[in-house]
Amino acid sequence: MVRMARAGLTADRVTIAGAELADEVGLEHVTMSAVARRLGVKDASLYAHVRGLEDLRGRIALLAADEKTIRIAEATAGRAGRDALVAFAGAWRAYAHAHPGRYTATQVPMRIDPELAAAAPGPRRAVELTYGMLRAYALTEPDLTDAVRLVRSTLHGFVSLEAAGGFAHARPAEASWVRCLDALHALLEHWPASREGDLS
């Protein structure tokens, strides 16, 4: 049975409504019923545009990846070295603060429609930007991939702990953020030599 689409309702509108809800209540609390209520429609109306909750969450992840990548690209344009690292990290953290639900969608494993994923530039561009930002540190493989993983782990770990209230110490989180970036920059500039027998 083919459902008729409600006038004015599109997959993009449903996705944005889901993303807004995720930011407000958390991605884990986004349901088809909650999105339908937000849009003022019946649950069944959504299925003319998205296949279900898994599909919707995948679309939110792709939307967030695109948004986050655009912010990082704008922040790092024309910068290199430490300036690029600080701008990259700042844009990452600002997006996580402004859109916590969408940010979560970019960090948790989920099944995404292959056709949608192939058409979305965000994830690919994110990888390109990260590798490009690190190019000034003159790293080669496999060290470059290790450095990419280190940067992602550091930034994600910090913003996740911050969001969870994990920095209750009297020292401001902002001060620690600056020092973490200083330390990350120093490590990238003085990357340790590979050990004999390391896996490649």
Side-chain angles (χ1 to χ4, degrees):
M1 175 179 172
V2 178
R3 298 183 177 90
M4 296 297 292
R6 181 184 175 91
L9 204 60
T10 65
D12 286 346
R13 279 195 63 200
V14 173
T15 301
I16 290 170
E20 291 173 347
L21 188 62
D23 287 339
E24 293 171 10
V25 302
L27 182 68
E28 68 277 14
H29 297 300
V30 172
T31 64
M32 296 295 281
S33 294
V35 174
R37 286 194 299 273
R38 188 180 190 90
L39 291 168
V41 300
K42 294 183 178 179
D43 294 15
S45 299
L46 302 184
Y47 290 91
H49 307 282
V50 298
R51 289 195 296 272
L53 183 59
E54 184 177 65
D55 182 36
L56 174 59
R57 290 184 175 178
R59 289 171 184 270
I60 292 171
L62 293 177
L63 170 67
D66 286 345
E67 292 176 339
K68 179 165 157 276
T69 299
I70 288 170
R71 291 195 181 191
I72 290 174
E74 291 174 346
T76 57
R79 299 176 184 271
R82 185 184 185 283
D83 285 346
L85 174 64
V86 170
F88 183 103
W92 180 302
R93 185 182 180 209
Y95 188 82
H97 284 182
H99 300 291
R102 299 184 210 205
Y103 176 77
T104 297
T106 68
Q107 301 299 316
V108 296
M110 61 177 66
R111 295 175 60 185
I112 299 177
D113 182 287
E115 290 186 13
L116 286 176
R124 292 190 306 277
R125 183 69 175 131
V127 173
E128 293 169 0
L129 284 169
T130 309
Y131 277 85
M133 181 270 293
L134 291 172
R135 200 168 290 130
Y137 293 101
L139 298 173
T140 57
E141 294 293 2
D143 292 333
L144 182 56
T145 293
D146 292 341
V148 168
R149 291 171 176 171
L150 173 64
V151 168
R152 289 187 60 198
S153 299
T154 301
L155 301 186
H156 177 61
F158 194 102
V159 301
S160 296
L161 286 169
E162 188 175 29
F167 297 145
H169 191 276
R171 179 167 169 79
E174 187 63 32
S176 296
W177 173 257
V178 171
R179 294 299 288 152
C180 283
L181 295 183
D182 286 343
L184 190 55
H185 169 65
L187 175 56
L188 292 169
E189 279 204 316
H190 302 91
W191 192 261
S194 297
R195 298 181 181 181
E196 187 177 350
D198 277 356
L199 296 175
S200 58

